[in-house]
Amino acid sequence: VKKRRSFSGAGGRREREKDRERDRERERRAERSERLRDHTKAFLCFPTYLNHSCGRERERHRRLRRMERSLGSKRVVGLRQGLAVGCKPTCLPRSGARKVTVTSTVRRVTSMQALPNNGKGKGKGNKKVATSKAVMDTTTDVDFSDEKIEKTKRQMMQELETPPAGFSGLMGKALVLKKEDYPTVAEINAAIPAHCKVLDTTKSMLYFAMSTGICLVSGLLANAFIPKTLAFLPVWIAYAIFNGTCGFGFWLQGHECGHFAFSKNLALQDACGYFSHTLCLTPYFSWQRSHAVHHSRVNHMWEGESHVPKVTGDEYGQAMRAFREKVGVWAHGIWSATVVSLGFVLYLLFGASGGPEYGLTNHFWPRVPFKTKLFPKKWHVKVVASGLGVIGVIGMLAYWAKCTSFWTVAAVYGGPYLVLNAWLGIVTLLHHTDTDVPHLEGEEWNYVRGAFLTIDRPYDKLAWGFVDWVQHHIGSTHVLHHLNPRVPHYHAQEATEAIKKAFPDLYLYDPTPIPKAIWRIVSNCISVKKVNRDDLGEVWVYDDPSMNAQASEGGEYLEKSRWRSA
């Protein structure tokens, strides 16, 4: 065992200083060695190092494939080779331009050529004559930018034949996107600022109190000051629209809780969610489970949950087309809008508009005679508890009606409840349905692609932005909500801007005014058919609403159109 030296006095201090200096020198040498190893590795593996430093290796290959499609494979070969030997691309965000340039250089190569003596010269051996030649290394600048890619997409949209149900305000943007165009979940999460994923319980409770207070105060004022007579029916209708619109914001607080985007305190989160949804006659835990399935299979043709389209040729699709032909477009559109407005109750009771994978379901009773696949056995207790809470609220409403009158309850609570249900049906429909937004199945579907097929709408234009504010921006930030549902609503706008900046070619925003978009969807989106096109792949698109089911399966229109059934 080496004996530790002991120093004292001035000589000891000098020795200690020397020891410390030697330690620092060893650390400096270790740092220099580590830097040298890093630089050596970077030099030997420069392309890999470059790609990792930019963080865009996957993106580079994807963009190269797009360039091959637009410019031809021969012009991109040099680009691939240039990147392989280490030409340096400019690392910009996905939305910026990237240009790869390899400078043309002239190399003068000198070689010594041996000339035979042929026995005639007096020199010893052979003469070496120096000759030189110029070798030109030429490469071409290739514009490898998002502007070029966007131009190609615009050209594809312009060349796209009108879909059977027509164009929406997206102008076919969702139809020209393929599976390989979409990023990974990790790339999406990296694009969202880290602080946008942080939950603030205090802020969530303040928003919860705000939504609760608006609905409670407006209800108490209406009950106290608006006479319950037929002459004041327009006033009661205005109250129902206001309170129901704000009530949807109150319901959305429970929606935040169901996504674990309210608080890290799970008990507080479930208590607030149960309170919010139960007062709105929504079974909290049952909806939490079915809504999670909706998010996990959004835009899936068979396994999706909520607003899954019907197939052309089935009983419902055929009946609705026959009804449209008989009563006209206007009557059919009004009927469809009414069904959508009341559809949330039908969804809770019978699974209306749910996916065919789950069959007849009920959010209050998860057992026979209803299908049980949507609610596994471990959820049964929570489903029943949610249903009992709703039954309790209905009992309190009945007692209130007994103490006052049926019309009092209908005016103060019933009117806003109908408006809230209408918002639930319409908002969900607008997020996931339009004439040129496809549905997918099989290998064409994945989580990211389904989430990016969600549509944001201009709710900030309704009532000077009041609707978007009081409903916590759920309509204008819904794409972000499906990409990462745990981002709280008070960070959703900032996160949406980050998504738009990172993935401008994938983000869907339809600027069509909300009333016009609703009418287009309810009058044209009846049923879907499967098409298989070389340029788009195999997708389900909405069929022509003016045709009956028989013509959709092989009529004159499809013989002249590229949108043929697969």
Side-chain angles (χ1 to χ4, degrees):
V1 179
K2 187 176 180 180
K3 191 173 182 180
R4 183 179 180 85
R5 291 185 297 171
S6 175
F7 304 109
S8 62
R13 285 194 298 273
R14 286 193 295 271
E15 291 295 331
R16 287 193 294 272
E17 287 294 335
K18 291 180 181 179
D19 286 348
R20 284 194 288 270
E21 183 63 29
R22 282 191 292 268
D23 292 338
R24 287 193 290 269
E25 181 63 25
R26 281 194 295 268
E27 292 175 358
R28 285 193 291 270
R29 288 178 181 176
E31 291 176 359
R32 285 196 296 269
S33 299
E34 185 176 357
R35 286 197 298 270
L36 180 60
R37 285 194 299 270
D38 291 342
H39 289 310
T40 304
K41 179 180 178 182
F43 179 79
L44 295 176
C45 306
F46 184 75
T48 303
Y49 171 77
L50 177 64
N51 292 331
H52 282 290
S53 66
C54 293
R56 298 292 183 180
E57 183 177 7
R58 183 184 181 91
E59 180 68 15
R60 177 172 63 84
H61 289 290
R62 185 179 298 140
R63 291 169 184 267
L64 286 170
R65 288 196 297 269
R66 295 176 185 171
M67 290 288 291
E68 288 177 352
R69 290 196 298 267
S70 60
L71 300 179
S73 59
K74 292 183 179 180
R75 291 188 61 184
V76 186
V77 170
L79 177 60
R80 291 185 182 275
Q81 294 174 350
L83 289 178
V85 299
C87 64
K88 186 174 181 181
T90 305
C91 184
L92 294 176
R94 188 184 183 113
S95 59
R98 178 182 295 176
K99 188 174 184 179
V100 178
T101 304
V102 181
T103 307
S104 300
T105 59
V106 178
R107 293 186 289 113
R108 184 163 296 276
V109 181
T110 302
S111 62
M112 304 300 294
Q113 297 180 354
L115 298 179
N117 192 342
N118 294 330
K120 298 180 180 179
K122 296 182 180 180
K124 297 180 181 180
N126 299 327
K127 293 183 179 180
K128 293 184 178 180
V129 180
T131 62
S132 63
K133 60 180 180 179
V135 179
M136 180 71 72
D137 293 336
T138 60
T139 55
T140 305
D141 291 350
V142 180
D143 189 5
F144 190 44
S145 63
D146 285 309
E147 295 177 0
K148 182 68 177 178
I149 295 172
E150 284 297 322
K151 182 179 179 181
T152 304
K153 290 185 180 297
R154 286 195 296 269
Q155 289 176 348
M156 293 175 64
M157 292 168 60
Q158 291 172 0
E159 296 171 0
L160 185 66
E161 186 179 351
T162 303
F167 282 117
S168 70
L170 299 171
M171 298 306 297
K173 183 178 181 179
L175 291 173
V176 301
L177 298 173
K178 294 187 177 182
K179 186 177 180 180
E180 57 268 21
D181 295 330
Y182 292 90
T184 63
V185 175
E187 290 173 336
I188 294 171
N189 289 332
I192 300 174
H195 68 272
C196 292
K197 307 169 190 176
V198 178
L199 303 182
D200 188 337
T201 302
T202 302
K203 187 175 292 186
S204 297
M205 288 301 298
L206 289 175
Y207 276 105
F208 183 84
M210 179 197 78
S211 295
T212 306
I214 292 175
C215 296
L216 181 62
V217 171
S218 62
L220 292 174
L221 292 176
N223 186 47
F225 296 106
I226 303 178
K228 301 172 183 64
T229 60
L230 191 61
F232 283 85
L233 180 62
V235 181
W236 282 108
I237 292 175
Y239 156 76
I241 294 174
F242 173 81
N243 200 331
T245 300
C246 299
F248 184 47
F250 174 66
W251 184 93
L252 286 170
Q253 290 298 309
H255 171 267
E256 291 281 294
C257 296
H259 279 298
F260 300 93
F262 188 85
S263 171
K264 292 183 178 180
N265 188 331
L266 299 183
L268 174 66
Q269 182 171 253
D270 283 341
C272 292
Y274 190 89
F275 176 79
S276 169
H277 276 192
T278 303
L279 287 182
C280 296
L281 302 185
T282 301
Y284 171 69
F285 292 112
S286 308
W287 173 88
Q288 183 186 45
R289 162 63 185 172
S290 62
H291 194 64
V293 174
H294 162 70
H295 270 259
S296 66
R297 293 293 184 270
V298 62
N299 271 76
H300 196 288
M301 185 60 200
W302 309 113
E303 300 176 10
E305 179 67 9
S306 174
H307 290 280
V308 178
K310 304 298 181 181
V311 178
T312 296
D314 68 2
E315 295 181 1
Y316 177 84
Q318 189 173 356
M320 289 305 295
R321 288 172 183 277
F323 177 73
R324 188 178 189 273
E325 293 293 331
K326 184 176 182 179
V327 302
V329 176
W330 278 94
H332 167 263
I334 294 173
W335 167 256
S336 298
T338 304
V339 171
V340 170
S341 300
L342 301 175
F344 186 65
V345 176
L346 300 176
Y347 171 69
L348 295 178
L349 293 175
F350 308 110
S353 83
E357 181 74 13
Y358 309 104
L360 184 66
T361 59
N362 185 283
H363 282 66
F364 299 91
W365 185 251
R367 300 178 182 178
V368 292
F370 301 101
K371 300 289 184 180
T372 60
K373 185 174 182 179
L374 184 60
F375 301 109
K377 189 174 182 180
K378 64 180 181 180
W379 281 87
H380 287 187
V381 174
K382 289 186 175 182
V383 171
V384 172
S386 302
L388 290 176
V390 173
I391 293 173
V393 172
I394 294 175
M396 288 189 292
L397 292 174
Y399 181 76
W400 181 18
K402 180 180 179 182
C403 295
T404 56
S405 68
F406 170 80
W407 295 111
T408 299
V409 178
V412 178
Y413 183 89
Y417 174 73
L418 292 178
V419 175
L420 185 155
N421 273 346
W423 275 114
L424 273 168
I426 290 172
V427 167
T428 310
L429 179 74
L430 289 174
H431 288 326
H432 303 291
T433 306
D434 219 323
T435 53
D436 55 0
V437 176
H439 283 72
L440 311 168
E441 65 175 349
E443 296 182 355
E444 288 292 329
W445 181 92
N446 60 40
Y447 172 79
V448 172
R449 190 180 184 187
F452 264 115
L453 288 177
T454 305
I455 313 163
D456 279 349
R457 304 279 184 178
Y459 286 90
D460 54 334
K461 303 296 192 297
L462 290 177
W464 303 279
F466 174 77
V467 171
D468 195 43
W469 173 77
V470 81
Q471 295 180 357
H472 311 297
H473 314 290
I474 190 63
S476 57
T477 63
H478 208 72
V479 175
L480 175 277
H481 175 64
H482 270 271
L483 293 174
N484 191 332
R486 295 200 176 188
V487 174
H489 65 86
Y490 40 82
H491 291 315
Q493 288 181 305
E494 181 181 357
T496 294
E497 291 301 319
I499 291 296
K500 290 166 63 176
K501 184 178 180 181
F503 312 106
D505 51 339
L506 304 178
Y507 175 75
L508 299 183
Y509 174 81
D510 187 349
T512 306
I514 300 299
K516 185 177 180 180
I518 294 173
W519 180 254
R520 179 180 64 228
I521 294 172
V522 297
S523 59
N524 293 321
C525 297
I526 297 178
S527 61
V528 295
K529 67 177 180 180
K530 187 177 182 180
V531 298
N532 190 355
R533 290 178 48 163
D534 295 336
D535 54 342
L536 303 178
E538 193 172 90
V539 296
W540 291 82
V541 297
Y542 276 97
D543 206 350
D544 186 352
S546 63
M547 300 161 53
N548 55 41
Q550 290 76 19
S552 298
E553 292 302 317
E556 183 180 357
Y557 175 84
L558 290 180
E559 291 299 324
K560 298 180 180 179
S561 173
R562 296 177 64 198
W563 296 96
R564 303 190 181 190
S565 300

